[in-house]
Structure formats: C-alpha cells, structure tokens
Amino acid sequence: MPSSEPRSAEIVGIAPWLPWPFSAWSWWTEPVRAERLAALRIGVAACLIFDVAYNYAPETQAFFGRDGLGAPAVFDYQFKGPRTTWSLLRGASDHANLYLSLTCLIATTLWIVGTSLARWLLVFGNPQPPSDRTGIAAGLWIASLIFYTLSVWAQMLAARWFSPLAYGIPLVGFTLACLYAVFEFSTRLRDPTHRVPWVGTFLMVFTPTCLALIGLLLFCIESPEALDKDVWWFRVLQSWQEDDFLILLAMGFWITSAVLFLFGCATRFATIAAWMLSLSFQNANPWLDNAGDTIRLILLFYLMFCPCGAAWSIEALLHRRRGPVYVHPWPIRLLFVQMIFIYFINGLYKLLGERWLTGTSLYFVLADAALIRFSPVAFPIPVWMTRVMTWSVLAWEVAFPALVLFKWPRRLALAFGVLFHLGIFATMELGGFVPYALCLYLPLLPWERLTLRRERGEPLGLQNAT
Amino acid sequence: MRVESTADSGSPIPGPTPRPASPRQVLLGFFVLFQLAFLLVSNFYGFVSYVLPKKTPDNLRPVVNQAIPDFIYEAGHGWKWGGELETNIRRWTQLTGQEQAWSLFAPNVGEATGFPAVVFLWDDGLDDPLPLPGTFFARDEKNGIHLWAPWNRGGSPEPSLATMGRLGILGAANPLDALTLAAVPFAKPTDKAPRVELLLSRNEPTNLSNFFRVSNCRVRRYDGSLYQNLQPYPDETREKLETRSTKLVRELVQDYQHDRTLAYLKWRRKVWIDAHPDELRPRQVLLFERFMRIRPPEEGVHGWDPPILYPMARWQPEKKVDGSGYVLEYFDYTTKRFCPGP
C-alpha cells in the first residue's frame, strides 16, 4: 500500500561552494537521486571484480612478480623524480611513496590542527560554519604517519643504522596529536555542546605511541647489520613485488576492496583502497593496460570523493533511511564533461588520419589479428559496411559535444555510443575497455524510477515482466 | 541535512543554506573547478601542441606564425610556457592516474599486424646463428628483409632451397637480388642444424583463419610494446631500408626498453623451463616479430599475408655480463649479425 505519510528527503554529502555562473546553473547545483551514483558504483565494482579475477589474479606473478613482465627493476625509471608516479607495491622503501606519505601527513596535519584551532578561536563566532566532520582526515593522518614512519625505518634498515629518528618521528606525531586533543578539549570547555571525536582522538594519540615504542626497540638493536633479511617484517618494508606471498596478498586486498565497494560496505574506505590499489597495479606494470583502465581509474577517483554508498548499499540499510535520498550532482557532471572530452578529442585526432577520411580505417582495425575477436577470413565484413561504420563513428565523435546540448539529439548520441561500445565488444578483445566505458553511461539513466515505483507501492517493471 | 520533500517525484528539494560555506565546501568547490580546468587544458593543449607544429599546411604557416610566433616551430614563449604547463599537468596526471590521451586508433591505423615470437636454440656456440641451416634471408617489396624458415608456422610455403634459388633469379628485381638468390642454394644447406623451437605469443591464435578470442588482452598490450613495422617505404633502396630497420630494432635494446624486452624473454624462457624441467636449457633466446601485412581493400581479399619473420634481438642467458648491464643484442640488418646493445 502506498504510504500516506509525507516522506522526508535527505541530501547526503557535501555541497561544493561554486562561484557564478556555476552557482546559478541548476545542472551543477540541483541534487540528483542517490540511485544514480549507486548504479555507477555497482557497475564499476562489478567490472572491477571481473577484471581483476579474470585478467589479473591468475597471472599475478607473471605480470607483477620479481621474475615476471613487471619486475620492479623493469619500471624503475617510472618512479624517479620529478615524476609523481607511485605504487604501493613498491613498498615503504620506495622514495616516491616516502615523499607522498610525508606530503599527505603535512597536509592532513595542517587541516586537522588548523580547523580545530579555528574552531577553538571562533567557537562563539556568528554565523558558525556547518559541522561536517566525517573523521576521514584523522584516518588519512594516521595512515600517512604509519606509512611515513615505515618508510623511514626502511631507509634505516637499508643503511643498517637506526638513528634516533626511528622513535623521534612518531614522537613528533604524538606531540601533534596531543596539540589537537588540547584544542578539542579546550573548545569543549568553552562550549559544552561541542562534540569531541573521542575515538579519532584516541587513535591519533595511541598510534604514534605504539610506533614510538617500536622505534625505540629498533634504535636499541645493537648490530642492525646482523638482522635476518628473511624475517617477515623486513620483507614487508621492501618492495612487495619481490615477495610471492606479499604480491598475492596485495591482489587479495584489491579483490576484497572491490567486493566491499560493490556492496557499499565501508564504502569510502573501500573506494579509496580500490583506487589506490588499481593505480598501484597499473603503475607497477603500465604495459598491461589500455584506455579502459584509465577510465576505471577516473571513475574510482571521482567516486572516492562522493557518497556513492548513499543508496543500494549495506551502509544505506544500516542508516535506515526511509525517504528518498539525494546527492549533489558534481561527480556526475564532471564525469559527463570527461565523457565529452573522450569522444571529442578522439574525433579531432581521427580527422587528421587519412584512412578515417577515406573510410577504410575500421577495415584495417577489424583485420588486426592481434586484437580482433574472430578472423575476418572466416567472417568477412563487407568493405562498404566498414566504410559506413568509419564515417559514422567519425561524425558522431566530432559532433558529440554539440549533440549532447539538446534533449533528443543527446539521447540519440548516447544510444549510438552504447551501440558503438557494444560493437567494439563484439568484434575486439580489449579487456575492460568496453565495460568501463559503458559505466560512464550508468549515472545518466533514471535509476530512481525503480525506487519511485517501489516507494509508491507500484510493481516494478521487472516484476511485471516475470 | 534532512529536509521535507514536497513530493516523491524527485523535484528540487532544499533552499539555499543560510550558513556560510564551510572550509570543506570551499575545498570541494575548488577541487571541482580545478578538475574542470584540468580536463579543458590537458585535452586541448595536448591536441593543439600536436597539431600546430606537425599538421599546419605550409601556406598557412606564416599566418599562424603571426598569431602565435614560433609555436609551430616548437620554440618561443608560447611553446615554452605551454611546455611548463604541460609538465605540471602531467604531474597531476601521474599522481592521480587520470591520463588524458584519447586517440583510439587515431590519427592513423596500422596497416599491418604482428606478434612477437621467441626462438630457442640449443647450439654449440654459434656466434652468428642467422641464417640457420635450412633458412635464408629474403626480401620483397611488401615486407622488406625477413628470414624464411621451414619452422615458421603458417609462413609462406616455399620450394626447396635449391629450387627457390633457381626460380627466384627469374623474379629478381635487380642484379643484386639475382646474385643473392643465386647464392641461396649454397646457404648452409648441408650444415648440421641445431635444435630449434619456435614459441608463438600466447595471444597468437593457433589457426589464423578461424579463431574466437576471449582473453589475453593484457598479454597483447605487452606484446604491442615489442612490435615494429619494418616494411619498406615506396622507392626505398635496400641500403636505406637496412639502416632504418636496424635503427628501429636497436631501439628495443636501448635504455628502459632493454629491460622490458629482457623481461619478456626471461618470462618466456622461465615458463618453458617450468613446463620442461627435465630438458636441457636453451643456450640462445632469439626474439622475432611474426609480421603480417593486412591486405588492403583494393586487393579484394580479406585477411593478411602469411606471417614472415623479422629478427629483432638475442639473449644468451649463459653469457657473461659486462658492467654496463646491457645483455641483449640487436639484429643488424646491414651486416646480418647480432650486435651488442645499446
């Protein structure tokens, strides 16, 4: 029965501050149903799980291991300064990882201590900014401190000399955590309504304490040069690619994060982990991936920053949201802009190719024995058909930005895009390119209609069909 | 934030918040604007910096040069400022994995295809293994210089060496070719051939005329990094072709490409050894390209020519390594010998 009570709508996530004209443009500001982001999350996660389980995991050692195609030494050049390429698989001893964790530590320290200081000083300021703390900054601070400390220990281990920095760096972290706690407690004393994040504060103090104690133990080792290189903690500090078990463990983490991401369980953490591991594996051997994997990274990158677990997720079930849930549209809009650039720039480059203008490009592409799905000798596609396909793809890509400006041309352009990708899938083996590219279309579909019908008590289309 | 909805239909919900924007909102706003600028600049600047210097027609160059001085000559303020901008954008790209290089099959498409193939040799210390007994170097206008070998699976059917030599003379394009072909019957036909094993790429179908592919896209990408097209240009002389082919092949054993090529050869050898633990290990590992020219639509026949072999590089696992770290040798098409890289 449809409920007669008014349902309360909820907007999840942070509304970005945008200047004019964006602030006056409803396309950028009007919230959209959370089901659209949820569909994107589920689509990306499903593709990721299949991709990792089918294309990467069975060949983990061959693709990323020490004797494989992506042995750490093969791609050393990728990780040298001033490049900012990084990969967690290279372990804490890698300099790129060390500097990144240090940068992240400094940034989060400034953020946490700065905001708590501002709150303490302006506790009676009017008007107050909204309190929208999620604890993610504290989590990042703790993770950065751990990783940076491990990196410094790895350098010391390589030099076989533990200096007082082994416990000094965690002690600096401890001091900063105490400073943060002082600000929080002082604010509480001035304003009894202020909520102190007890768990976060405790973890921020506890973690550097543990690290300082371990660092002190390492400092007290009398002869570091006699340390056994085969002990597990020594291997953890080195490149994970050098160790068969650790590289498999990383692959296991990747799949686990994708599964959590799919079900929307600890979604923010799972999305960050999925993005970091996707980028780490890609950078560990960039010669395995194609444009589809770049799209995967872009999708995960945006999903990290938005509440993609607000609907159709375990998180949403736990929150017991009764009414419709909305999210701010910026990630969907940015992805749409990205999509326009993908097709338009492709089209512009194609305009420069003689074979595209003469209409024979797809004839040659569909005869490339290295990537096609079936032999053109057994299933020849008529030349006239490849000409029509070549020119229509060219016209569609070049005109895409103009077509999406209006409702019906937009629908036609998007429908053509889906057919284009399905055509690629049917004729070429490009791994995850087609599934990931199709994920870009998911947030454009009105998924909320499924929920709206249920909310009104109407049967779903699928149920009708069965 | 919890607000009442006027209806379930999904109309706009809340009014503007009376509170000032929080630091988080400002930060997120800047992030959105930065991403927009990043997409705009990285995509358009990448395209413009490619097109203007390389594709501007000669008659338009003076006009373009007035508007943006020296840019089309890859010099001047604009080019250098753009270079700085591009470098900074690239750092953000590397950090976040948002590569903006969208040119699928563009601007040009390959008119040929190929797969890397590995040949194992169990020899008695052959310094110059090619041509092996029973094989010879051939040259034609479509494919350039390549090795004909009876063990090249699916390769063009050839008559016996002796017949090939005699008939080949009739088809020679110039006196030099005629001399070369005339020498073919005497090209080590009676030498004792070492054991040879050809390993095709895992991505290469067993039957090129009829297959259905469902995997190996990752291996294909890696294979692609070893691909070289050594087809001759129209009217290219033999000497020029030899020099150009050598230069292209040499790139595979230079700088960072050396390690990538070596990793491929090591991996193929390791897989073979794991599958044949009781057999003697090969003494030489040769990298070939199984190259196939795609028949253009004008020829009226779909598909490609039979695969031919381009010698590329050699690795001798048991050979002592010098201090440079380079262990691969490239194939010199001028001298027809493997030479130490880089």
Side-chain angles (χ1 to χ4, degrees), chain B residues 118 261-269 285-287 315 328:
Chain B
V118 173
T261 311
L262 181 62
Y264 182 78
L265 295 178
K266 278 184 173 176
W267 173 60
R268 298 301 306 265
R269 181 171 175 267
V285 182
L286 310 184
L287 176 67
W315 174 43
L328 292 183

Side-chain angles (χ1 to χ4, degrees), chain A residues 125-188:
Chain A
N126 190 19
Q128 276 281 303
S131 177
D132 52 13
R133 280 185 302 179
T134 58
I136 194 76
L140 277 175
W141 186 85
I142 292 169
S144 312
L145 180 70
I146 293 173
F147 203 91
Y148 178 61
T149 309
L150 290 179
S151 296
V152 172
W153 290 349
Q155 309 301 318
M156 292 175 177
L157 211 53
R160 302 288 178 184
W161 175 61
F162 284 99
S163 73
L165 271 184
Y167 61 86
I169 286 169
L171 280 182
V172 172
F174 177 78
T175 312
L176 290 169
C178 288
L179 187 66
Y180 166 72
V182 166
F183 285 139
E184 283 296 315
F185 298 145
S186 307
T187 312
R188 177 63 177 263

Side-chain angles (χ1 to χ4, degrees), chain A residues 81-100:
Chain A
R83 283 169 174 267
T84 48
T85 312
W86 58 276
S87 170
L88 291 178
L89 303 185
R90 295 178 73 84
S93 58
D94 187 74
H95 283 197
N97 288 342
L98 183 148
Y99 278 106
L100 276 176

Side-chain angles (χ1 to χ4, degrees), chain A residues 59 84 289 368 372 452, chain B residues 8 91 104 113 202 213 221:
Chain A
E59 312 264 12
T84 48
D289 294 334
D368 187 342
I372 49 175
L452 283 174
Chain B
D8 289 351
R91 301 289 167 251
L104 184 72
T113 183
R202 231 175 56 187
R213 181 182 275 127
R221 275 285 292 141

Side-chain angles (χ1 to χ4, degrees), chain B residues 136-202:
Chain B
F136 62 88
F137 284 106
R139 184 174 80 98
D140 61 67
E141 287 181 359
K142 289 176 180 172
N143 294 310
I145 302 155
H146 55 96
L147 183 81
W148 185 88
W151 34 262
N152 181 24
R153 210 179 298 168
S156 57
E158 300 279 348
S160 72
L161 286 176
T163 317
M164 178 66 197
R166 281 168 198 131
L167 290 176
I169 294 170
L170 302 175
N174 55 56
L176 190 65
D177 280 2
L179 279 173
T180 311
L181 288 166
V184 162
F186 311 104
K188 302 188 190 176
T190 53
D191 289 1
K192 189 185 169 216
R195 182 184 163 191
V196 177
E197 187 155 331
L198 173 75
L199 270 72
L200 301 183
S201 162
R202 231 175 56 187

Side-chain angles (χ1 to χ4, degrees), chain A residues 72-137:
Chain A
V74 176
F75 295 105
D76 263 346
Y77 70 95
Q78 287 254 82
F79 299 90
K80 289 189 173 146
R83 283 169 174 267
T84 48
T85 312
W86 58 276
S87 170
L88 291 178
L89 303 185
R90 295 178 73 84
S93 58
D94 187 74
H95 283 197
N97 288 342
L98 183 148
Y99 278 106
L100 276 176
S101 57
L102 178 60
T103 309
C104 193
L105 183 63
I106 292 170
T108 48
T109 301
L110 290 174
W111 180 253
I112 292 170
V113 177
T115 49
S116 58
L117 175 64
R119 206 175 292 123
W120 178 64
L121 290 173
L122 305 171
V123 68
F124 296 122
N126 190 19
Q128 276 281 303
S131 177
D132 52 13
R133 280 185 302 179
T134 58
I136 194 76

